[in-house]
Amino acid sequence: PGRSQGQPIPRNQSKTSSSLLVPQTAVSQAKLALAGGLHSTRRNLTAGHEQSYTNIPKNPGRHRVQKIDVTLSPRDPNAPGQFGRPVVVPPGKKEEAERRWKEGNFNVYLSDLIPVDRAIEDTRPTGCAEQLVHNDLPTTSIIVCFVDEVWSTLLRSVHSVLNRSPPHLIKEILLVDDFSTKDYLKANLDKYMSQFPKVRILRLQERHGLIRARLAGAQNATGDVLTFLDSHVECNVGWLEPLLERVYLNRKKVACPVIEVINDKDMSYMTVDNFQRGVFTWPMNFGWRTIPPDVVAKNGIKETDVIRCPVMAGGLFSIDKSYFYELGTYDPGLDVWGGENMELSFKVWMCGGEIEIIPCSRVGHIFRNDNPYSFPKDRMKTVERNLVRVAEVWLDEYKDLFYGHGDHLIDQGLDVGNLTQQKELRKKLKCKNFKWYLDNVFPDLKAPVVRASGVLINPALGKCITIENTTAMLDDCDGNNQLQQFNYTWIRLIKHGEWCMAPIADEGSLRLQPCDSRDKRLRWLHKSTSGFHPELVDHIVFENYQQLLCMEGNFSQKTLKVSTCNPMKPYQKWKFEKYHEG
Ligand code: UD2
Ligand code: MN
């Protein structure tokens, strides 16, 4: 996994810029998605308003979203960063600014320079201000977890909530201090926040990590809905009501604002491209994808339409508190940071809920290239371990795609802890399987359960592998012969039904054995000198992972053997009938 999570595509930025941490630009992704042709149903992309509005609860009275923003006539309109404008570090302060960068992995010097209650531009699409929400929306507890957050950004987050939300909807703002070490947070925070009766500070006595810190916040929350925020955000005008409205319409909806970009270098508030969804690529890397423009046009999708979201970014969302508990909250076995957004997303979708991005709700967030705080254990291992927990509980037969694209840390004895409770929970909630999720929520994800399949041919010999008793032999190719059918899995097993191809070292022969996903002897690297690609058949060999021996056919007999790999030997080159893109 990368060192941090990518940001959505800011508007008016070069679409080909690679500095945005966005794996795919809007343009190239449009081509990709169209090639798949899977985007054509409106149902998969936007929420059905029709459906939601049919079960409107009790009081149908509605009003326009309130435009509450006490920063609109700022005390100092000329202050740096006012109205979300970019700020330049004054000459002579460059060194100081550079030095202070690492306090938060963004321009901390500039953050301290701009007002904690600055105004920002109202970036909502046209039409949002006219939308109606119910008069009797539920109240919410805002939960902000932080560890050693920069003073000015923490304050700006809190001010933006207080200044731009209808007061009666905010039950409380819970600041959960995840065992920060910075003195200013210990000495000054209580005093500063005491001017706001709704703000409560919860101090954890040991480092919980953001996942368990959120759970501690939830335990202490008294509002109907939980709204989670990161500690370096700026909520925009009218951000809250549209989120609560979705939860009100259906308590199983999890509502996310559009996450906008607070530039880490100049602290400007940048709006983002419309129509972005949260998705993931293997091995479960979160990312943003824009719905292609012609799909938007063809389906008549409006800028204000709620977007169905396969996975949430993680940090900012509203969820009905009782529903959150019904779902068993987060897996409390997840540590520190990472993967919890996948877990909750799969859980919500597969167990009867929905995740939506609400374009009329917008919150800015500082995306950073690296976590500014330390991890109690190795960072990569922590994230990998979290993801393995998610994969084992939720991915079913698709988990091999995760392992096959990843680093196989699980092979190196990674202890992921006990998963019984999580698996029990999934059963108890009668959740749907991962295939259902792929078919219904994220049909454009490429997820073939095997990497290659069909007959396994040696092009130089013109022969295929066949099974006699349990021994692998060569024979004339026959695609209809069951004994010649193999699957090549993402974790590099060559499977014939439930049996796996194994080298028998002393004989040098090849035989089927019961599969064991941990047995490295059963793994075959389908190697080519220039990467894995079916067209490169001339270069492809099957090299045994453990013994570094290659599969080789015999010219005069029908036999197969394993022998020392030699890229010059054509009888060591193999090709599957079909390769599946994933
Ligand atoms: C994103 C999410 C973040 C979380 C993470 C994956 C957004 C905007 N942000 O990464 O919320 O879902 O992906 O796990 O969607 N924190 C603690 N204790 C810790 C570590 C972090 O309290 O041990 C706090 C931290 O101060 C911050 C929040 O948790 O307020 C999220 O951490 P981050 O900002 O480093 O995560 P981010 O935005 O890179
Ligand atoms: Mn963050």
PDB file of all heavy atoms in Angstrom, residues 146-151 154-155 177 179-191 201 203:
ATOM      1  N   PHE A 146      -7.811  12.791  16.792  1.00  0.00           N
ATOM      2  CA  PHE A 146      -6.544  13.383  16.355  1.00  0.00           C
ATOM      3  C   PHE A 146      -5.391  12.874  17.202  1.00  0.00           C
ATOM      4  O   PHE A 146      -5.572  12.502  18.362  1.00  0.00           O
ATOM      5  CB  PHE A 146      -6.602  14.917  16.424  1.00  0.00           C
ATOM      6  CG  PHE A 146      -6.774  15.448  17.831  1.00  0.00           C
ATOM      7  CD1 PHE A 146      -5.673  15.785  18.601  1.00  0.00           C
ATOM      8  CD2 PHE A 146      -8.038  15.573  18.375  1.00  0.00           C
ATOM      9  CE1 PHE A 146      -5.830  16.254  19.898  1.00  0.00           C
ATOM     10  CE2 PHE A 146      -8.212  16.043  19.679  1.00  0.00           C
ATOM     11  CZ  PHE A 146      -7.103  16.383  20.436  1.00  0.00           C
ATOM     12  N   VAL A 147      -4.234  12.835  16.600  1.00  0.00           N
ATOM     13  CA  VAL A 147      -3.018  12.582  17.368  1.00  0.00           C
ATOM     14  C   VAL A 147      -2.000  13.628  16.919  1.00  0.00           C
ATOM     15  O   VAL A 147      -1.663  13.728  15.739  1.00  0.00           O
ATOM     16  CB  VAL A 147      -2.517  11.126  17.206  1.00  0.00           C
ATOM     17  CG1 VAL A 147      -2.316  10.720  15.763  1.00  0.00           C
ATOM     18  CG2 VAL A 147      -1.238  10.893  17.997  1.00  0.00           C
ATOM     19  N   ASP A 148      -1.597  14.458  17.846  1.00  0.00           N
ATOM     20  CA  ASP A 148      -0.623  15.519  17.587  1.00  0.00           C
ATOM     21  C   ASP A 148      -0.973  16.387  16.386  1.00  0.00           C
ATOM     22  O   ASP A 148      -0.099  16.736  15.585  1.00  0.00           O
ATOM     23  CB  ASP A 148       0.786  14.910  17.415  1.00  0.00           C
ATOM     24  CG  ASP A 148       1.317  14.385  18.744  1.00  0.00           C
ATOM     25  OD1 ASP A 148       0.892  14.900  19.792  1.00  0.00           O
ATOM     26  OD2 ASP A 148       2.143  13.453  18.732  1.00  0.00           O
ATOM     27  N   GLU A 149      -2.238  16.734  16.266  1.00  0.00           N
ATOM     28  CA  GLU A 149      -2.646  17.598  15.154  1.00  0.00           C
ATOM     29  C   GLU A 149      -2.069  19.004  15.358  1.00  0.00           C
ATOM     30  O   GLU A 149      -1.895  19.456  16.488  1.00  0.00           O
ATOM     31  CB  GLU A 149      -4.174  17.655  15.061  1.00  0.00           C
ATOM     32  CG  GLU A 149      -4.721  18.467  13.891  1.00  0.00           C
ATOM     33  CD  GLU A 149      -4.275  17.945  12.542  1.00  0.00           C
ATOM     34  OE1 GLU A 149      -4.676  16.845  12.160  1.00  0.00           O
ATOM     35  OE2 GLU A 149      -3.492  18.655  11.863  1.00  0.00           O
ATOM     36  N   VAL A 150      -1.791  19.661  14.261  1.00  0.00           N
ATOM     37  CA  VAL A 150      -1.320  21.047  14.296  1.00  0.00           C
ATOM     38  C   VAL A 150      -2.428  21.930  14.892  1.00  0.00           C
ATOM     39  O   VAL A 150      -3.606  21.783  14.557  1.00  0.00           O
ATOM     40  CB  VAL A 150      -0.969  21.503  12.854  1.00  0.00           C
ATOM     41  CG1 VAL A 150      -0.723  23.009  12.799  1.00  0.00           C
ATOM     42  CG2 VAL A 150       0.228  20.719  12.337  1.00  0.00           C
ATOM     43  N   TRP A 151      -2.048  22.807  15.795  1.00  0.00           N
ATOM     44  CA  TRP A 151      -2.999  23.648  16.536  1.00  0.00           C
ATOM     45  C   TRP A 151      -3.961  24.398  15.611  1.00  0.00           C
ATOM     46  O   TRP A 151      -5.182  24.312  15.763  1.00  0.00           O
ATOM     47  CB  TRP A 151      -2.182  24.618  17.394  1.00  0.00           C
ATOM     48  CG  TRP A 151      -2.970  25.611  18.200  1.00  0.00           C
ATOM     49  CD1 TRP A 151      -3.104  26.945  17.967  1.00  0.00           C
ATOM     50  CD2 TRP A 151      -3.721  25.347  19.394  1.00  0.00           C
ATOM     51  NE1 TRP A 151      -3.884  27.532  18.923  1.00  0.00           N
ATOM     52  CE2 TRP A 151      -4.284  26.575  19.831  1.00  0.00           C
ATOM     53  CE3 TRP A 151      -3.982  24.189  20.148  1.00  0.00           C
ATOM     54  CZ2 TRP A 151      -5.075  26.683  20.958  1.00  0.00           C
ATOM     55  CZ3 TRP A 151      -4.777  24.311  21.278  1.00  0.00           C
ATOM     56  CH2 TRP A 151      -5.312  25.537  21.681  1.00  0.00           C
ATOM     57  N   LEU A 154      -6.473  22.115  13.692  1.00  0.00           N
ATOM     58  CA  LEU A 154      -7.469  21.525  14.591  1.00  0.00           C
ATOM     59  C   LEU A 154      -8.537  22.565  14.911  1.00  0.00           C
ATOM     60  O   LEU A 154      -9.742  22.306  14.843  1.00  0.00           O
ATOM     61  CB  LEU A 154      -6.786  21.029  15.873  1.00  0.00           C
ATOM     62  CG  LEU A 154      -7.704  20.405  16.938  1.00  0.00           C
ATOM     63  CD1 LEU A 154      -8.450  19.200  16.383  1.00  0.00           C
ATOM     64  CD2 LEU A 154      -6.896  19.989  18.170  1.00  0.00           C
ATOM     65  N   LEU A 155      -8.078  23.784  15.227  1.00  0.00           N
ATOM     66  CA  LEU A 155      -9.028  24.858  15.538  1.00  0.00           C
ATOM     67  C   LEU A 155      -9.898  25.199  14.333  1.00  0.00           C
ATOM     68  O   LEU A 155     -11.106  25.407  14.449  1.00  0.00           O
ATOM     69  CB  LEU A 155      -8.270  26.117  15.986  1.00  0.00           C
ATOM     70  CG  LEU A 155      -8.140  26.305  17.500  1.00  0.00           C
ATOM     71  CD1 LEU A 155      -7.671  25.037  18.190  1.00  0.00           C
ATOM     72  CD2 LEU A 155      -7.214  27.464  17.826  1.00  0.00           C
ATOM     73  N   ASP A 177      -8.712  12.835  21.707  1.00  0.00           N
ATOM     74  CA  ASP A 177      -7.257  12.973  21.676  1.00  0.00           C
ATOM     75  C   ASP A 177      -6.623  11.593  21.833  1.00  0.00           C
ATOM     76  O   ASP A 177      -6.630  11.009  22.916  1.00  0.00           O
ATOM     77  CB  ASP A 177      -6.815  13.911  22.809  1.00  0.00           C
ATOM     78  CG  ASP A 177      -5.305  14.099  22.827  1.00  0.00           C
ATOM     79  OD1 ASP A 177      -4.591  13.379  22.086  1.00  0.00           O
ATOM     80  OD2 ASP A 177      -4.833  14.956  23.588  1.00  0.00           O
ATOM     81  N   PHE A 179      -3.988  10.168  22.564  1.00  0.00           N
ATOM     82  CA  PHE A 179      -2.727  10.114  23.305  1.00  0.00           C
ATOM     83  C   PHE A 179      -1.638  10.971  22.654  1.00  0.00           C
ATOM     84  O   PHE A 179      -0.519  10.518  22.418  1.00  0.00           O
ATOM     85  CB  PHE A 179      -2.263   8.650  23.412  1.00  0.00           C
ATOM     86  CG  PHE A 179      -1.352   8.380  24.565  1.00  0.00           C
ATOM     87  CD1 PHE A 179      -1.691   8.742  25.854  1.00  0.00           C
ATOM     88  CD2 PHE A 179      -0.125   7.742  24.363  1.00  0.00           C
ATOM     89  CE1 PHE A 179      -0.846   8.482  26.922  1.00  0.00           C
ATOM     90  CE2 PHE A 179       0.734   7.479  25.423  1.00  0.00           C
ATOM     91  CZ  PHE A 179       0.363   7.849  26.705  1.00  0.00           C
ATOM     92  N   SER A 180      -2.010  12.220  22.385  1.00  0.00           N
ATOM     93  CA  SER A 180      -1.040  13.137  21.780  1.00  0.00           C
ATOM     94  C   SER A 180       0.098  13.438  22.744  1.00  0.00           C
ATOM     95  O   SER A 180      -0.073  13.381  23.962  1.00  0.00           O
ATOM     96  CB  SER A 180      -1.726  14.456  21.415  1.00  0.00           C
ATOM     97  OG  SER A 180      -2.672  14.253  20.400  1.00  0.00           O
ATOM     98  N   THR A 181       1.232  13.794  22.171  1.00  0.00           N
ATOM     99  CA  THR A 181       2.394  14.103  23.013  1.00  0.00           C
ATOM    100  C   THR A 181       2.691  15.606  23.049  1.00  0.00           C
ATOM    101  O   THR A 181       3.444  16.058  23.899  1.00  0.00           O
ATOM    102  CB  THR A 181       3.647  13.388  22.453  1.00  0.00           C
ATOM    103  OG1 THR A 181       3.821  13.793  21.086  1.00  0.00           O
ATOM    104  CG2 THR A 181       3.459  11.880  22.499  1.00  0.00           C
ATOM    105  N   LYS A 182       2.118  16.356  22.123  1.00  0.00           N
ATOM    106  CA  LYS A 182       2.444  17.786  22.021  1.00  0.00           C
ATOM    107  C   LYS A 182       1.923  18.580  23.230  1.00  0.00           C
ATOM    108  O   LYS A 182       0.755  18.458  23.613  1.00  0.00           O
ATOM    109  CB  LYS A 182       1.825  18.368  20.741  1.00  0.00           C
ATOM    110  CG  LYS A 182       2.392  17.765  19.463  1.00  0.00           C
ATOM    111  CD  LYS A 182       3.570  18.576  18.962  1.00  0.00           C
ATOM    112  CE  LYS A 182       3.953  18.254  17.532  1.00  0.00           C
ATOM    113  NZ  LYS A 182       4.415  16.883  17.293  1.00  0.00           N
ATOM    114  N   ASP A 183       2.774  19.400  23.765  1.00  0.00           N
ATOM    115  CA  ASP A 183       2.420  20.156  24.971  1.00  0.00           C
ATOM    116  C   ASP A 183       1.252  21.111  24.748  1.00  0.00           C
ATOM    117  O   ASP A 183       0.400  21.268  25.612  1.00  0.00           O
ATOM    118  CB  ASP A 183       3.638  20.943  25.471  1.00  0.00           C
ATOM    119  CG  ASP A 183       4.644  20.007  26.130  1.00  0.00           C
ATOM    120  OD1 ASP A 183       4.211  18.917  26.589  1.00  0.00           O
ATOM    121  OD2 ASP A 183       5.844  20.341  26.162  1.00  0.00           O
ATOM    122  N   TYR A 184       1.233  21.785  23.577  1.00  0.00           N
ATOM    123  CA  TYR A 184       0.157  22.767  23.376  1.00  0.00           C
ATOM    124  C   TYR A 184      -1.219  22.118  23.416  1.00  0.00           C
ATOM    125  O   TYR A 184      -2.201  22.737  23.811  1.00  0.00           O
ATOM    126  CB  TYR A 184       0.357  23.566  22.078  1.00  0.00           C
ATOM    127  CG  TYR A 184       0.441  22.727  20.817  1.00  0.00           C
ATOM    128  CD1 TYR A 184      -0.690  22.237  20.199  1.00  0.00           C
ATOM    129  CD2 TYR A 184       1.683  22.448  20.243  1.00  0.00           C
ATOM    130  CE1 TYR A 184      -0.613  21.466  19.045  1.00  0.00           C
ATOM    131  CE2 TYR A 184       1.778  21.685  19.083  1.00  0.00           C
ATOM    132  CZ  TYR A 184       0.624  21.189  18.487  1.00  0.00           C
ATOM    133  OH  TYR A 184       0.702  20.431  17.356  1.00  0.00           O
ATOM    134  N   LEU A 185      -1.292  20.846  23.019  1.00  0.00           N
ATOM    135  CA  LEU A 185      -2.581  20.164  23.048  1.00  0.00           C
ATOM    136  C   LEU A 185      -2.978  19.820  24.481  1.00  0.00           C
ATOM    137  O   LEU A 185      -4.153  19.807  24.834  1.00  0.00           O
ATOM    138  CB  LEU A 185      -2.536  18.902  22.187  1.00  0.00           C
ATOM    139  CG  LEU A 185      -2.415  19.152  20.682  1.00  0.00           C
ATOM    140  CD1 LEU A 185      -2.188  17.847  19.939  1.00  0.00           C
ATOM    141  CD2 LEU A 185      -3.652  19.852  20.133  1.00  0.00           C
ATOM    142  N   LYS A 186      -1.973  19.551  25.313  1.00  0.00           N
ATOM    143  CA  LYS A 186      -2.268  19.214  26.705  1.00  0.00           C
ATOM    144  C   LYS A 186      -2.609  20.477  27.480  1.00  0.00           C
ATOM    145  O   LYS A 186      -3.533  20.504  28.276  1.00  0.00           O
ATOM    146  CB  LYS A 186      -1.053  18.535  27.352  1.00  0.00           C
ATOM    147  CG  LYS A 186      -0.772  17.146  26.790  1.00  0.00           C
ATOM    148  CD  LYS A 186       0.390  16.504  27.545  1.00  0.00           C
ATOM    149  CE  LYS A 186       1.039  15.405  26.721  1.00  0.00           C
ATOM    150  NZ  LYS A 186       2.389  15.099  27.164  1.00  0.00           N
ATOM    151  N   ALA A 187      -1.821  21.540  27.234  1.00  0.00           N
ATOM    152  CA  ALA A 187      -1.939  22.726  28.082  1.00  0.00           C
ATOM    153  C   ALA A 187      -3.076  23.651  27.676  1.00  0.00           C
ATOM    154  O   ALA A 187      -3.769  24.196  28.528  1.00  0.00           O
ATOM    155  CB  ALA A 187      -0.614  23.482  28.058  1.00  0.00           C
ATOM    156  N   ASN A 188      -3.293  23.837  26.374  1.00  0.00           N
ATOM    157  CA  ASN A 188      -4.176  24.932  25.949  1.00  0.00           C
ATOM    158  C   ASN A 188      -5.529  24.528  25.386  1.00  0.00           C
ATOM    159  O   ASN A 188      -6.413  25.364  25.266  1.00  0.00           O
ATOM    160  CB  ASN A 188      -3.470  25.781  24.878  1.00  0.00           C
ATOM    161  CG  ASN A 188      -2.104  26.228  25.335  1.00  0.00           C
ATOM    162  OD1 ASN A 188      -1.850  26.307  26.534  1.00  0.00           O
ATOM    163  ND2 ASN A 188      -1.222  26.503  24.389  1.00  0.00           N
ATOM    164  N   LEU A 189      -5.663  23.280  25.020  1.00  0.00           N
ATOM    165  CA  LEU A 189      -6.870  22.918  24.278  1.00  0.00           C
ATOM    166  C   LEU A 189      -8.140  23.056  25.123  1.00  0.00           C
ATOM    167  O   LEU A 189      -9.138  23.613  24.669  1.00  0.00           O
ATOM    168  CB  LEU A 189      -6.740  21.505  23.705  1.00  0.00           C
ATOM    169  CG  LEU A 189      -7.758  21.164  22.618  1.00  0.00           C
ATOM    170  CD1 LEU A 189      -7.579  22.043  21.395  1.00  0.00           C
ATOM    171  CD2 LEU A 189      -7.657  19.695  22.210  1.00  0.00           C
ATOM    172  N   ASP A 190      -8.094  22.564  26.356  1.00  0.00           N
ATOM    173  CA  ASP A 190      -9.285  22.641  27.212  1.00  0.00           C
ATOM    174  C   ASP A 190      -9.714  24.092  27.401  1.00  0.00           C
ATOM    175  O   ASP A 190     -10.894  24.411  27.312  1.00  0.00           O
ATOM    176  CB  ASP A 190      -8.998  22.010  28.575  1.00  0.00           C
ATOM    177  CG  ASP A 190      -8.763  20.524  28.450  1.00  0.00           C
ATOM    178  OD1 ASP A 190      -7.641  20.129  28.046  1.00  0.00           O
ATOM    179  OD2 ASP A 190      -9.712  19.763  28.715  1.00  0.00           O
ATOM    180  N   LYS A 191      -8.733  24.923  27.650  1.00  0.00           N
ATOM    181  CA  LYS A 191      -9.029  26.332  27.903  1.00  0.00           C
ATOM    182  C   LYS A 191      -9.680  26.951  26.658  1.00  0.00           C
ATOM    183  O   LYS A 191     -10.716  27.592  26.731  1.00  0.00           O
ATOM    184  CB  LYS A 191      -7.724  27.052  28.239  1.00  0.00           C
ATOM    185  CG  LYS A 191      -7.872  28.523  28.516  1.00  0.00           C
ATOM    186  CD  LYS A 191      -6.889  28.984  29.603  1.00  0.00           C
ATOM    187  CE  LYS A 191      -7.072  30.454  29.917  1.00  0.00           C
ATOM    188  NZ  LYS A 191      -6.579  31.327  28.817  1.00  0.00           N
ATOM    189  N   ILE A 201     -13.844  17.294  25.117  1.00  0.00           N
ATOM    190  CA  ILE A 201     -12.569  16.641  24.787  1.00  0.00           C
ATOM    191  C   ILE A 201     -12.489  15.318  25.532  1.00  0.00           C
ATOM    192  O   ILE A 201     -12.732  15.255  26.732  1.00  0.00           O
ATOM    193  CB  ILE A 201     -11.388  17.540  25.171  1.00  0.00           C
ATOM    194  CG1 ILE A 201     -11.497  18.873  24.429  1.00  0.00           C
ATOM    195  CG2 ILE A 201     -10.061  16.851  24.839  1.00  0.00           C
ATOM    196  CD1 ILE A 201     -10.519  19.915  24.898  1.00  0.00           C
ATOM    197  N   ARG A 203      -9.927  12.334  26.350  1.00  0.00           N
ATOM    198  CA  ARG A 203      -8.496  12.020  26.273  1.00  0.00           C
ATOM    199  C   ARG A 203      -8.270  10.526  26.499  1.00  0.00           C
ATOM    200  O   ARG A 203      -8.617   9.997  27.543  1.00  0.00           O
ATOM    201  CB  ARG A 203      -7.740  12.851  27.303  1.00  0.00           C
ATOM    202  CG  ARG A 203      -7.679  14.331  26.915  1.00  0.00           C
ATOM    203  CD  ARG A 203      -6.294  14.912  27.178  1.00  0.00           C
ATOM    204  NE  ARG A 203      -6.044  16.052  26.303  1.00  0.00           N
ATOM    205  CZ  ARG A 203      -6.548  17.276  26.493  1.00  0.00           C
ATOM    206  NH1 ARG A 203      -7.339  17.500  27.526  1.00  0.00           N
ATOM    207  NH2 ARG A 203      -6.257  18.252  25.661  1.00  0.00           N
TER     208      ARG A 203
END
